[in-house]
Amino acid sequence: MDSAAIASHIPRLRRYARALAGDSHRADDLVQDTLERALAKFHLWRHGSDLRAWMFSIMHNVFINQLKSRREFALDEATEDALESAPQSDPLQLRDLESALRRLPAEQREVLLLVGLEQLSYAEASQALGVPVGTVMSRLSRGRERLRKLVDGEPSRTNPNLRVVQ
């Protein structure tokens, strides 16, 4: 493995970075920071393990460090593009799905994006996020259920200021 192997993962890193960072400039910075760290720490990568999952893990850690300093998390046009290219044809459903994704807790959104958008296995997502496989599975299950409820318009228990008016 060399820098060419790392470079082959840039398109996926950029897509995930855009979904995490919220805008293309911060996403590009996140990808650059990830690539710099991957090249500098390449000696730590275990030959035979999944390079893509290792790089997503680096990106996740870099992003979390940046997030802690900024305290923000958003989706951007990359996720919108992915949603628009989905097989659904109703633009209102796509808008509702994007809105629902924005309202998910960060840990559920991350797992949904890694497994659903990036098509990582549970084990790869586990490695990328630094959590056990069971945690990935439970976050994914809770995230899918919550996403379904949000898209279906069921009231959210996370906002106590909302009340049903009759």
Side-chain angles (χ1 to χ4, degrees):
M1 291 283 171
D2 58 5
S3 58
I6 290 175
S8 70
H9 294 286
I10 291 174
R12 286 184 167 193
L13 290 170
R14 289 192 81 226
R15 182 173 58 202
Y16 185 53
R18 284 185 174 183
L20 287 175
D23 71 51
S24 59
H25 296 294
R26 285 196 324 227
D28 289 343
D29 290 342
L30 179 58
V31 170
Q32 181 176 343
D33 292 345
T34 299
L35 293 172
E36 287 175 4
R37 187 165 294 172
L39 288 170
K41 304 286 184 176
F42 192 71
H43 64 281
L44 297 174
W45 176 69
R46 290 185 315 228
H47 184 70
S49 65
D50 188 351
L51 180 62
R52 178 181 61 154
W54 182 71
M55 292 180 66
F56 276 118
S57 178
I58 291 172
M59 179 175 283
H60 173 76
N61 292 335
V62 169
F63 177 72
I64 292 300
N65 290 339
Q66 292 173 355
L67 183 64
K68 287 178 183 176
S69 66
R70 282 196 303 265
R71 300 282 183 218
E72 58 188 42
F73 192 95
L75 298 173
D76 78 341
E77 68 270 0
T79 302
E80 292 172 15
D81 291 346
L83 291 173
E84 288 172 6
S85 66
Q88 298 95 342
S89 59
D90 186 354
L92 293 176
Q93 285 180 332
L94 293 176
R95 188 198 66 204
D96 291 346
L97 179 59
E98 179 188 3
S99 174
L101 275 170
R102 290 178 190 270
R103 293 170 46 201
L104 289 176
E107 64 273 358
Q108 291 175 6
R109 182 173 41 238
E110 287 175 333
V111 171
L112 280 169
L113 289 171
L114 285 173
V115 173
L117 181 64
E118 295 302 328
Q119 299 179 349
L120 267 64
S121 68
Y122 294 159
E124 292 168 333
S126 167
Q127 181 183 353
L129 297 173
V131 298
V133 173
T135 301
V136 168
M137 293 169 67
S138 66
R139 286 179 183 177
L140 183 62
S141 175
R142 287 192 315 268
R144 284 177 174 159
E145 179 62 21
R146 184 151 184 205
L147 186 62
R148 184 195 61 75
K149 287 181 179 182
L150 290 168
V151 169
D152 288 347
E154 294 181 28
S156 173
R157 294 176 296 176
T158 61
N159 190 342
N161 297 325
L162 295 178
R163 289 184 271 165
V164 176
V165 178
Q166 297 186 21

